[in-house]
Amino acid sequence: MKKVTHTNRRPSPFIGKIAVALLKTLIALILIALLAIFATSVSPIYDFAEPKPFSGPDIFDPYEGGGRCDSPYRWKRANFHTHTRVKGLLNECAYWPAETDAAYRKLGYDIVTFSNHNELTRHPYDASLQVDVYEHGINLFKYHKLVFGCDEVNRFDHLIPLFASQKQFQLDLLGRESDFIQLNHPLRTTGTSKKLMQRLGGYRIMELDSGKSTENEYWDWALSAGHYSFGLANDDLHYPDRSSRIAVRCNFLCCASASYEDIKKTLLGGCYYAMRVPDYGRGDWEVKYARNRELPSIERIGLDGETIRIALSHRADSIKVTGQHHTTLSLIPNATEASYTMRPDDPYARITAYFPDGEVIYTNPFARYDASAAETPYAEPTHKVNVPLTILFNLTLLALCAGTILAFRKTVIKW
């Protein structure tokens, strides 16, 4: 019988060195990520004003009392949230601005602006159509804004904008160096809540229909708190070659031309409506082109005394009037026209029209205000800096940064 002997095999020194190197690399990456989060989290801490519904003796009519958009102020179809190929390695879209613009023109669009992330994109063929706009935000929460009318890109961002004060700080910074701001895709932004929407202010436009829902409840959260904004629905286009991604959201502006000055005047005045459009043909482009030339539209809209009236080109399955706290104020089935008389206790009312084939039209809100004091119900935000909390918050961030650097030196460099 053979005697079995046991040998103690020691791990290879080479394998041990690889394991240590991998562990050091992992720790280094974690510490670098934490340092980036802490260093980019600097912000004032604000005391936000309490929600205050719209009030006043007058009702603001974004459609200038008539709502007929006759020549030359015909309804112009527009998309403002568009990504294209840009110079450099990092790209979200494979198509250059000229190619993307051509795809939209074939679908009947009159206005196309290019809102690439942190980059001002030049119009590909007509300088008179240039709109200086970009999408701000590369953070992990997808807290993005369209910044209109700026001279350069502001690259400051919080890597993780966790608090309302951080989000408001960004709006304040961007607002000081631009003409106006759109708050992008709230339904797809991590952290969007009723409390947050009741606090944030300083944007003039809300991006609507930014997910599967047509309710836009987050818009009502903000409107009910007294934060007036108009609404745009955009494709947020990245794939102009996919029929399911292009021409499924759009806007119709009562606008004299596609120049920036006319666009700005219209977007800040409110005479436009937003729309969800089905993917007609589901890949059959000829069907998509044809059906996009026959969209339902608003023929008339406006205020008659305290009564909102709307007339549509096509019969809708229903026309809904929505008001304070996302309450349905009126629901008119199977109609081409509707009206709603605002009651004294109605701070605002907006209209949504649902059509049989899936099209949806969203109007801008009619809201109470004092016409002798302001042109619209929009008011600049009134939050104030809480100095003690601001000092404490940023000193804490400084301490966390210092602790992270110290941990890096001890565990990575000296290990």
Side-chain angles (χ1 to χ4, degrees):
M1 182 174 181
K2 292 183 179 180
K3 185 177 182 180
V4 178
T5 59
H6 298 276
T7 58
N8 293 324
R9 293 186 178 180
R10 296 182 180 180
S12 168
F14 179 70
I15 295 176
K17 288 181 179 180
I18 292 177
V20 170
L22 290 174
L23 182 58
K24 287 178 68 173
T25 301
L26 178 61
I27 293 172
L29 291 175
I30 292 173
L31 291 174
I32 290 171
L34 288 174
L35 182 60
I37 292 170
F38 298 146
T40 61
S41 293
V42 60
S43 171
I45 301 300
Y46 297 114
D47 290 327
F48 291 95
E50 290 296 317
K52 186 178 180 181
F54 302 118
S55 62
D58 307 298
I59 299 174
F60 174 70
D61 177 5
Y63 299 97
E64 302 174 355
R68 279 188 177 276
C69 199
D70 299 322
S71 182
Y73 291 86
R74 65 178 180 83
W75 294 114
K76 292 179 174 57
R77 191 175 183 182
N79 188 75
F80 294 99
H81 193 167
T82 313
H83 296 281
T84 67
R85 185 174 178 81
V86 298
K87 293 179 180 179
L89 296 176
L90 300 178
N91 271 283
E92 295 184 277
C93 178
Y95 294 84
W96 293 100
E99 297 171 299
T100 303
D101 182 85
Y104 268 121
R105 301 290 172 179
K106 289 181 71 174
L107 288 158
Y109 283 70
D110 307 285
I111 299 170
V112 181
T113 65
F114 309 105
S115 56
N116 289 305
H117 279 279
N118 290 345
E119 177 164 330
L120 294 173
T121 304
R122 308 313 300 173
H123 195 278
Y125 56 84
D126 190 344
S128 69
L129 301 179
Q130 175 64 28
V131 175
D132 289 332
V133 58
Y134 70 97
E135 185 168 21
H136 178 274
I138 55 172
N139 56 78
L140 300 180
F141 283 6
K142 297 181 72 68
Y143 177 59
H144 297 164
K145 291 78 58 189
L146 287 194
V147 185
F148 286 85
C150 48
D151 295 326
E152 58 185 12
V153 170
N154 187 323
R155 299 189 182 279
F156 173 80
D157 194 11
H158 300 103
L159 188 58
I160 297 183
L162 188 61
F163 304 110
S165 288
Q166 293 172 315
K167 294 179 171 70
Q168 185 63 59
F169 183 41
Q170 291 189 31
L171 291 173
D172 291 348
L173 284 177
L174 299 172
R176 286 195 289 266
E177 57 194 32
S178 66
D179 289 335
F180 57 97
I181 298 168
Q182 171 183 285
L183 203 57
N184 283 358
H185 47 64
L187 274 183
R188 292 188 284 114
T189 300
T190 302
T192 297
S193 65
K194 183 175 183 179
K195 186 175 183 179
L196 176 68
M197 301 310 294
Q198 288 176 333
R199 289 182 167 185
L200 294 184
Y203 56 90
R204 300 299 297 271
I205 298 171
M206 183 78 76
E207 190 167 56
L208 308 181
D209 201 344
S210 62
K212 295 181 179 180
S213 174
T214 61
E215 287 298 305
N216 298 312
E217 188 173 7
Y218 53 85
W219 195 20
D220 289 312
W221 292 339
L223 291 169
S224 297
H227 300 300
Y228 188 86
S229 65
F230 302 119
L232 289 176
N234 298 296
D235 280 336
D236 190 0
L237 183 74
H238 294 77
Y239 304 99
D241 57 333
R242 301 182 188 180
S243 68
S244 61
R245 299 297 185 90
I246 189 170
V248 291
R249 307 285 189 280
C250 64
N251 310 280
F252 286 90
L253 279 65
C254 187
C255 195
S257 77
S259 71
Y260 176 63
E261 287 306 314
D262 285 333
I263 290 172
K264 179 174 74 170
K265 181 179 178 182
T266 303
L267 290 182
L268 293 177
C271 196
Y272 52 96
Y273 62 91
M275 192 169 184
R276 169 183 282 208
V277 181
D279 177 24
Y280 299 119
R282 295 183 178 273
D284 186 331
W285 287 93
E286 293 307 316
V287 172
K288 190 176 182 75
Y289 293 141
R291 292 294 302 275
N292 269 269
R293 291 191 290 268
E294 302 171 351
L295 295 178
S297 63
I298 292 179
E299 292 192 337
R300 297 186 309 279
I301 183 172
L303 197 63
D304 180 9
E306 296 201 341
T307 299
I308 304 166
R309 300 187 187 278
I310 186 171
L312 304 169
S313 63
H314 294 54
R315 184 170 298 277
D317 278 344
S318 63
I319 303 173
K320 181 170 70 172
V321 183
T322 304
Q324 189 76 357
H325 303 309
H326 195 60
T327 301
T328 298
L329 303 174
S330 178
L331 186 64
I332 302 94
N334 192 32
T336 57
E337 297 186 7
S339 64
Y340 177 76
T341 301
M342 289 187 67
R343 300 169 303 191
D345 60 345
D346 283 333
Y348 74 93
R350 61 178 183 86
I351 297 173
T352 307
Y354 300 89
F355 296 89
D357 290 339
E359 305 92 344
V360 185
I361 284 177
Y362 310 102
T363 76
N364 280 322
F366 297 76
R368 294 198 174 275
Y369 77 129
D370 184 351
S372 66
E375 293 184 1
T376 74
Y378 172 81
E380 292 294 334
T382 58
H383 52 270
K384 296 180 180 179
V385 176
N386 186 315
V387 176
L389 283 181
T390 296
I391 293 172
L392 179 62
F393 178 73
N394 289 287
L395 283 178
T396 301
L397 292 176
L398 182 61
L400 290 170
C401 287
T404 304
I405 293 171
L406 182 61
F408 187 89
R409 290 182 61 186
K410 287 185 174 181
T411 61
V412 177
I413 296 177
K414 293 183 178 181
W415 191 0

